Amino acid sequence: MLAAESDAEAPAAGVDPGDLEQAVWLRLLERLQETGAPERPADWLRRAVRAEARRARRTTDRERPYQGEPAPRAGTDGPHGSPESSLLVAERHRTLRAAVTRTPGRCPRLLTAMLDPEDPTYREIAGELGISQGSLGPMRSRCLGCLRRMLAAEVPAPGRRGRVR
């Protein structure tokens, strides 16, 4: 019954039915400790599922992604992707931003301008950096090559696993 109620309420709340079930189980455990078992379990279960769905809907309505974060891609798990994929994307962004700050010369400013979420044009980037638009392409190529070498050096080479004989 819990699975059926959760399956029915989850889409409107924008949550996974399994998450909704888990939240209701937690509410039941809390209730058992405080006041004991409900007198009419079926009615309590329906009310609890609907209450958790409302709580999830309010939470989803209040939560907003951080500025500068990309919108979730279509086809990912749930409304905001899985926690694992979100964590991996954030870690890649941190690694990239840290590597950009370590590049030499004008490269940090150029690469930061190119990573701007507003996607400026070459003319806008050249104006911001105070260089000609024609020299932007070769400079970009050199900076990306430097960044590529830096990031490749940070990735460990695949090694042997297990016991070496």
Side-chain angles (χ1 to χ4, degrees), residues 1 5 38-50:
M1 183 171 176
E5 289 288 329
E39 289 180 27
R40 296 173 37 188
D43 291 338
W44 181 89
L45 182 76
R46 284 187 195 98
R47 284 192 314 273
V49 169
R50 289 186 181 112

Side-chain angles (χ1 to χ4, degrees), residues 114-144:
M114 293 185 73
L115 290 171
D116 188 346
E118 295 179 15
D119 197 24
T121 64
Y122 264 36
R123 177 175 289 168
E124 293 168 342
I125 293 173
E128 181 181 323
L129 297 177
I131 60 174
S132 71
Q133 191 173 341
S135 64
L136 192 58
M139 184 177 168
R140 175 187 142 259
S141 180
R142 285 191 301 275
C143 291
L144 287 174

Side-chain angles (χ1 to χ4, degrees), residues 98-109 111 143 146-147 150:
V100 163
T101 61
R102 294 192 314 265
T103 55
R106 294 186 195 173
C107 290
R109 288 186 60 208
L111 293 172
C143 291
C146 181
L147 184 63
M150 287 174 67

Side-chain angles (χ1 to χ4, degrees), residues 6 10 12 15 26 28 35 39 45-46 49 52 61 67 81 86-87 89 96 100 111 114-115 117 138 147:
S6 296
V15 295
L26 288 173
L28 177 62
T35 60
E39 289 180 27
L45 182 76
R46 284 187 195 98
V49 169
E52 287 303 320
D61 289 343
Q67 292 293 354
S86 297
L87 179 68
V89 167
L96 177 63
V100 163
L111 293 172
M114 293 185 73
L115 290 171
L147 184 63

Side-chain angles (χ1 to χ4, degrees), residues 3-56:
E5 289 288 329
S6 296
D7 287 341
E9 294 290 331
V15 295
D16 183 58
D19 292 342
L20 201 53
E21 284 181 48
Q22 185 177 16
V24 172
W25 279 116
L26 288 173
R27 295 293 165 247
L28 177 62
L29 290 175
E30 290 170 355
R31 179 183 168 98
L32 290 174
Q33 281 184 335
E34 293 172 5
T35 60
E39 289 180 27
R40 296 173 37 188
D43 291 338
W44 181 89
L45 182 76
R46 284 187 195 98
R47 284 192 314 273
V49 169
R50 289 186 181 112
E52 287 303 320
R54 280 192 307 273
R55 180 177 296 147

